[in-house]
Amino acid sequence: MDYFVITSILVFLSAVFGYLNVRFIKLPNTIGLTLITILFTLGVFALSYYDDTLLQAERFIISKIDFKVVLLDIMLSFLLFAGALHTDLQKLKEQRWPVLVFATFGVLVSTFLVGTGVYYLLMVLGLNVQFIYCLLFGALISPTDPIAVLGILKKAGAPKKLEIKIVGESLFNDGVGVVVFLTIFGLASGSGTGFSLSGILELFVVEVFGGLLLGLVLGWLTYYFLKKIDDYNIEVIITLATVMIGTLVATHLHVSAPLAMVVAGLMIGGTKTREHAMSELTEDYVDKFWELIDILLNTILFVLIGMEMLVLEFNTTYIYAGLLAIPIALACRYLSLVIPVQLFQKRLDFVPNTTLIMTWGGLRGAISIALALGLSESMERDLFLVITYVIVIFSILVQGLTIEKLIAKLQLKPKGNE
């Protein structure tokens, strides 16, 4: 079975599940697709007691897909560019300092708190896991997932000032989170011999700031070429080339491709580029093209998340650990936001209960699963994959379904476009 056949099957399933969600269930796509795929997979498990043909076919498809590579090396760049393209750059500039602190300080604090909390939780459950592996788990679960956040938050009716903080943080903190994860991974695997503070700083400078710089260059070059012509077909292709070649260049230079795509997307979607380099027709086509890419990849991605159940080891203790880790992850998320919110609250006029809303609205998603799949067996991969999956599914289904109700209960829904 080649990649075309596998891709065709995934697109077909995405279309069918998407239709069922829009036609009957009527949940946000992110939530509906995940739920339907999980139910479908459970149905396949039940059917396998009589005939396991469908189960084996589904397992074969998953076995041929390297979820980590597909998401982190391919899909993530397209999804982040599409998300950044439709983010208000001016509002993001106003909130740049809290977004920066949330995406750096917040991720680091959360990594340590989650790692420590899970270490003692596993000890209570009789699972002796090295502390550094728990820190590794803290690093992969701490970043909020921009794909899940962007798909749900815009429908929740949060005030614009709060929405831009959560969306801005989620666009940037995955790049920082991946760097933190890789740093601890190097230590845990023994490849971090001679590890030092200078080593951490070098990795941050190269990965994070290198990615940001590359994004600025890509954004400026794209702006330059768009400004010189007026042909919406070619201009759409130029934006596509920016993402594809930009990802290859970032990989070659060992800088963060996700951060590069976020910056490039913000620049190309910004008011200056839209006013000076795009006609109204071009702007309309660029927006619709990337909306379609966003919807297609999101649909496939959340179908894959549901199907990832097939690679889990259904150990009862692991599932208990996952359920008990949910409140730990939420509490650590809350604590990691307290200081930054207090720091900027008066100066930037934060809405009431910002910390609570950002905690519940900071959804975990595919990035966490992809990183967990990248763990080695010696790093307790099966255990942490189950815990990660339980937290992600809770995040998407429970937090995603209730964030709008929480905002309404706290009376934060805006009267206008505040």
Side-chain angles (χ1 to χ4, degrees), residues 270-320:
T271 306
K272 180 182 176 182
T273 302
R274 289 179 181 274
E275 289 181 352
H276 300 293
M278 296 186 198
S279 64
E280 287 187 14
L281 184 62
T282 296
E283 193 175 340
D284 186 48
Y285 270 85
V286 167
D287 284 341
K288 286 181 177 176
F289 173 80
W290 282 103
E291 282 173 13
L292 179 60
I293 293 290
D294 190 33
I295 291 169
L296 174 62
L297 294 183
N298 260 301
T299 304
I300 294 172
L301 179 61
F302 285 96
V303 166
L304 280 173
I305 287 178
M307 293 176 72
E308 283 299 315
M309 285 179 65
L310 295 167
V311 304
L312 299 181
E313 181 182 325
F314 288 98
N315 181 306
T316 307
T317 306
Y318 291 1
I319 295 173
Y320 286 151

Side-chain angles (χ1 to χ4, degrees), residues 159-350:
K160 292 296 180 184
K161 287 186 292 186
L162 181 56
E163 181 186 313
I164 199 68
K165 291 181 185 70
I166 302 176
V167 171
E169 177 206 9
S170 66
L171 283 171
F172 284 100
N173 73 3
D174 67 292
V176 176
V178 170
V179 173
V180 174
F181 175 84
L182 292 174
T183 303
I184 301 174
F185 188 92
L187 278 174
S189 61
S191 61
T193 308
F195 195 75
S196 63
L197 181 60
S198 62
I200 298 177
L201 292 174
E202 183 181 351
L203 188 58
F204 262 81
V205 169
V206 174
E207 283 276 349
V208 177
F209 292 103
L212 296 175
L213 180 60
L214 177 61
L216 288 171
V217 172
L218 290 170
W220 184 86
L221 286 173
T222 306
Y223 167 76
Y224 175 82
F225 288 119
L226 293 179
K227 191 176 180 181
K228 293 296 181 181
I229 62 172
D230 185 14
D231 185 312
Y232 67 86
N233 290 309
I234 302 301
E235 290 178 80
V236 169
I237 293 172
I238 288 172
T239 63
L240 180 61
T242 296
V243 176
M244 298 180 80
I245 293 299
T247 302
L248 290 176
V249 171
T251 303
H252 179 71
L253 296 177
H254 301 291
V255 300
S256 175
L259 288 177
M261 291 307 108
V262 168
V263 173
L266 288 171
M267 289 182 67
I268 296 166
T271 306
K272 180 182 176 182
T273 302
R274 289 179 181 274
E275 289 181 352
H276 300 293
M278 296 186 198
S279 64
E280 287 187 14
L281 184 62
T282 296
E283 193 175 340
D284 186 48
Y285 270 85
V286 167
D287 284 341
K288 286 181 177 176
F289 173 80
W290 282 103
E291 282 173 13
L292 179 60
I293 293 290
D294 190 33
I295 291 169
L296 174 62
L297 294 183
N298 260 301
T299 304
I300 294 172
L301 179 61
F302 285 96
V303 166
L304 280 173
I305 287 178
M307 293 176 72
E308 283 299 315
M309 285 179 65
L310 295 167
V311 304
L312 299 181
E313 181 182 325
F314 288 98
N315 181 306
T316 307
T317 306
Y318 291 1
I319 295 173
Y320 286 151
L323 293 172
L324 292 171
I326 291 171
I328 291 176
L330 287 170
C332 294
R333 163 82 175 160
Y334 184 90
L335 292 171
S336 70
L337 293 171
V338 169
I339 294 176
V341 169
Q342 291 297 322
L343 187 63
F344 295 103
Q345 192 161 22
K346 291 183 180 179
R347 188 157 52 118
L348 291 175
D349 188 27
F350 279 26

Side-chain angles (χ1 to χ4, degrees), residues 44-89:
V44 170
F45 274 126
L47 184 63
S48 68
Y49 285 102
Y50 303 98
D51 185 348
D52 67 350
T53 304
L54 192 56
L55 176 62
Q56 294 305 324
E58 195 172 342
R59 277 185 170 156
F60 181 78
I61 291 171
I62 288 297
S63 71
K64 293 295 181 181
I65 300 171
D66 189 328
F67 187 84
K68 183 171 180 286
V69 171
V70 167
L71 175 62
L72 296 181
D73 295 348
I74 302 172
M75 294 176 72
L76 188 57
S77 291
F78 289 89
L79 290 164
L80 288 177
F81 181 86
L85 192 69
H86 300 105
T87 299
D88 191 324
L89 181 58

